Amino acid sequence: MDLPVLNIPETAKEGGCSASSCGSSDSQVNHLPDHIREKVQNHPCYSEDAHHYFARMHVAVAPACNIQCHYCNRKYDCANESRPGVVSELLTPEQAVKKTMAVAAKIPQMTVLGIAGPGDPLANPERTFETFRMLTRDAPDIKLCVSTNGLQLPESVDELAKANIDHVTITINTIDAEIGAKIYPWIFWKNRRIKGRKGAQILIDQQQKGLEMLVQRGILVKVNSVMIPGINDEHLAEVSRTVKSKGAFLHNVMPLIAEAEHGTFYGVMGQRGPTPDELMDLQERCSGDMNMMRHCRQCRADAVGLLGEDRGAEFTLDKIDAMEIDYASAMEMRRQVQEGIMADMESKRSTQQKKAKPAVPDGARPVLMAVATSGQGIINQHFGHAKEFQIYQASPEGVRFMSHRKTEQYCSGDSTCGDAESALAITVRSLAGCEAVLCSKIGYEPWEMLEEAGIVPNGEHAMESIEEAVMAVYREMLENGKVDETPAARRANAEM
Ligand code: CLF
Ligand code: SF4
């Protein structure tokens, strides 16, 4: 049987910086007790390292919701776990299982099935738990994951434990009812609509109680928080401390998405989302107390594939009906592919552990770099084909993943790029604060525009491990005295 080519080059297998100096969540995974490490090592959301290799999928079986958030319009995906956009197909539990089996056969790296909307999974308990029950029976190797607003959580914990759910995400935007009333206009509780502060307090109490109950049962809890400038941004560090003290495993602070055309209250009222700098700054402030997730892509409620890619359109119900799948061989292929990835990751980890701290002078200024990658932890994407850039920080401590930035894809691969200039300008602007861009290739025009913006383009590390390449470029910048040169000074020099 042919195995799909995963294209993990030798450099990636050999690994990058020392895990202990890298500061990425890979190092957090390395130091976990075995039973927790087993739960997170192939979950693309719970392990930053795993998200380069393993995929997740969501099935949209949960249409109803029991609260209203000011950043959500029910005609769109749940903004907790998705970027706005209608769910293309609402599924019955039977259809969801059929789709999951087809994706499992075609994408062997898919390890996690999540239910994240388009409403709240626990406000649709029959559909949600029926889907989980059937999947436990038909695909026991797939990890099950659920994301909820938490209102119905305490009443659902026993059922979640019975359904073998190891990973639960609760969206907790506040622990203060005053702030809550500015985010949630109402909740639906015991057959009544409860507004304002009173409704927010019930939601907060249920979330906190549900979190404690899950932790008591040994279920891993991730907390998602939507950062809303002027509303809860100053308060989220306290949320982080509180949920950590109660045993949450990971905190994911996500930027508010609010556009008038989505028809949300915040969108219409002109509430802005945070800038990339504001988001990174808050994540830094929270990170002293908590493991932070920085690689979230705010997926759709019907997303399929690696984080950051969406292959959902390949798996519509009519396309699945037309597929001829030999499930027995496909399941054997899954096993082999996943074993291969785990072995590669393990060898990368042990190489990293043996590596010494990078030889960089203490006290050198940290530098942000953008990387174009389509996965597997290597630099393997053309600048013009990148839909997003991953942002890394290089410092004397090593290389750290910081965030990702979405961009305009200006190059469609043909020579007539049409409105290329404005899209390219938007892309370059989205990289503000970065001092270098590492990609597999780059054209002349973007090269010039990046240089004019004080960002050094670099296509010399194609197919190399990201951490190694970022550290190599950082060392070069230090040797050439570029790290002392601010981006503004570099812009001035480029203009001369
Ligand atoms: Fe889905 Fe969420 Fe499970 Fe992941 S997503 S239910 S924990 S399998 Fe992941 Fe997507 Fe971010 Fe969610 S990147 S939006 S954190
Ligand atoms: Fe929308 Fe999700 Fe909030 Fe419900 S919990 S209102 S679906 S964002």
Side-chain angles (χ1 to χ4, degrees):
M1 170 183 19
D2 286 339
L3 294 180
V5 178
L6 284 174
N7 192 22
I8 301 173
E10 289 309 309
T11 45
K13 289 178 190 170
E14 283 161 13
C17 66
S18 133
S20 55
S21 64
C22 177
S24 75
S25 48
D26 187 23
S27 60
Q28 292 156 3
V29 171
N30 286 342
H31 296 112
L32 292 171
D34 284 351
H35 71 286
I36 306 275
R37 187 170 147 185
E38 197 281 319
K39 283 185 187 178
V40 301
Q41 63 188 352
N42 64 352
H43 193 306
C45 302
Y46 282 70
S47 156
E48 191 225 306
D49 198 29
H51 99 279
H52 295 296
Y53 304 92
F54 290 109
R56 54 75 184 100
M57 70 175 288
H58 290 162
V59 285
V61 295
C65 191
N66 46 10
I67 69 171
Q68 178 65 58
C69 305
H70 272 326
Y71 46 73
C72 177
N73 175 346
R74 294 288 157 69
K75 282 188 254 160
Y76 290 84
D77 284 354
C78 172
N80 288 338
E81 286 279 328
S82 61
R83 30 171 208 273
V86 285
V87 179
S88 39
E89 281 178 324
L90 191 63
L91 304 177
T92 64
E94 291 73 19
Q95 289 168 332
V97 172
K98 190 172 172 184
K99 179 172 177 177
T100 307
M101 299 305 287
V103 173
K106 296 286 180 186
I107 307 180
Q109 310 92 305
M110 189 277 285
T111 48
V112 178
L113 179 284
I115 301 184
D120 187 79
L122 302 182
N124 302 260
E126 292 84 14
R127 297 169 68 96
T128 295
F129 287 111
E130 181 58 13
T131 306
F132 284 146
R133 263 191 297 277
M134 286 194 281
L135 281 169
T136 304
R137 181 193 66 202
D138 296 351
D141 71 312
I142 297 177
K143 280 186 161 63
L144 303 176
C145 195
V146 70
S147 169
T148 175
N149 61 40
L151 183 62
Q152 222 30 59
L153 188 53
E155 293 70 24
S156 311
V157 167
D158 285 342
E159 193 78 10
L160 287 164
K162 237 192 286 164
N164 291 324
I165 311 297
D166 266 344
H167 303 79
V168 174
T169 295
I170 317 171
T171 298
I172 300 180
N173 295 321
T174 178
I175 49 172
D176 177 334
E178 221 38 79
I179 296 173
K182 295 180 189 159
I183 302 172
Y184 310 106
W186 54 261
I187 66 164
F188 198 71
W189 178 246
K190 300 198 191 273
N191 298 319
R192 279 176 50 223
R193 188 169 294 216
I194 301 178
K195 294 185 184 164
R197 208 180 172 286
K198 196 169 167 203
Q201 189 63 60
I202 294 170
L203 177 63
I204 291 165
D205 292 345
Q206 288 289 97
Q207 290 170 337
Q208 297 299 316
K209 187 173 169 195
L211 163 59
E212 289 166 17
M213 290 171 74
L214 289 168
V215 170
Q216 270 168 13
R217 281 169 175 72
I219 296 173
L220 286 189
V221 181
K222 171 165 72 64
V223 169
N224 280 3
S225 301
V226 181
M227 179 183 180
I228 312 163
I231 305 279
N232 69 349
D233 49 342
E234 292 302 322
H235 167 65
L236 283 177
E238 187 187 345
V239 171
S240 217
R241 276 193 298 278
T242 303
V243 299
K244 184 189 180 185
S245 72
K246 294 188 175 176
F249 176 75
L250 196 60
H251 191 194
N252 173 24
V253 178
M254 310 183 295
L256 171 74
I257 301 172
E259 304 290 344
E261 59 268 32
H262 300 151
T264 63
F265 178 83
Y266 282 152
V268 171
M269 298 306 285
Q271 169 66 51
R272 72 171 181 94
T275 63
D277 279 354
E278 287 171 334
L279 180 66
M280 269 193 326
D281 181 56
L282 176 59
Q283 287 172 334
E284 279 303 285
R285 278 190 279 136
C286 294
S287 67
D289 295 300
M290 189 69 189
N291 294 337
M292 298 303 292
M293 177 180 186
R294 296 169 194 266
H295 59 283
C296 175
R297 300 303 199 280
Q298 294 174 277
C299 324
R300 290 172 56 99
D302 54 5
V304 174
L306 292 171
L307 302 191
E309 71 174 8
D310 194 353
R311 297 178 58 182
E314 294 170 40
F315 296 95
T316 54
L317 291 175
D318 54 336
K319 286 187 182 152
I320 291 169
D321 279 339
M323 288 175 186
E324 281 180 21
I325 299 174
D326 173 351
Y327 280 102
S329 342
M331 294 307 133
E332 174 56 19
M333 183 196 289
R334 276 176 67 71
R335 197 185 56 73
Q336 291 184 33
V337 167
Q338 291 184 21
E339 272 180 17
I341 296 174
M342 292 307 298
D344 283 331
M345 286 172 71
E346 194 47 53
S347 102
K348 183 180 170 187
R349 265 189 212 114
S350 68
T351 313
Q352 285 173 341
Q353 276 164 350
K354 283 179 208 141
K355 284 202 172 179
K357 194 173 176 242
V360 172
D362 283 343
R365 179 172 62 81
V367 166
L368 288 183
M369 298 188 203
V371 170
T373 174
S374 60
Q376 287 122 45
I378 53 174
I379 295 166
N380 55 2
Q381 209 170 31
H382 189 298
F383 179 87
H385 297 167
K387 291 183 185 154
E388 64 170 30
F389 288 90
Q390 299 203 355
I391 310 298
Y392 284 80
Q393 183 195 61
S395 76
E397 299 307 308
V399 176
R400 270 173 87 193
F401 174 82
M402 299 301 285
S403 65
H404 64 94
R405 298 209 193 144
K406 287 195 172 59
T407 184
E408 294 287 310
Q409 203 183 353
Y410 73 91
C411 177
S412 55
D414 60 30
S415 54
T416 52
C417 280
D419 201 15
E421 208 183 331
S422 57
L424 180 55
I426 293 169
T427 297
V428 172
R429 223 182 13 255
S430 75
L431 299 176
C434 296
E435 298 185 40
V437 175
L438 281 62
C439 51
S440 63
K441 269 189 177 173
I442 181 166
Y444 181 68
E445 196 186 353
W447 182 287
E448 276 206 318
M449 280 187 75
L450 284 167
E451 282 197 325
E452 279 166 22
I455 303 171
V456 178
N458 187 314
E460 288 165 21
H461 295 275
M463 305 313 284
E464 289 181 20
S465 131
I466 293 171
E467 283 89 353
E468 281 191 351
V470 168
M471 186 44 75
V473 173
Y474 185 54
R475 273 201 212 99
E476 228 172 84
M477 289 172 81
L478 282 164
E479 280 159 19
N480 298 335
K482 295 286 179 193
V483 172
D484 296 327
E485 203 176 326
T486 62
R490 192 163 33 258
R491 259 196 313 275
N493 285 340
E495 279 162 17
M496 280 166 55

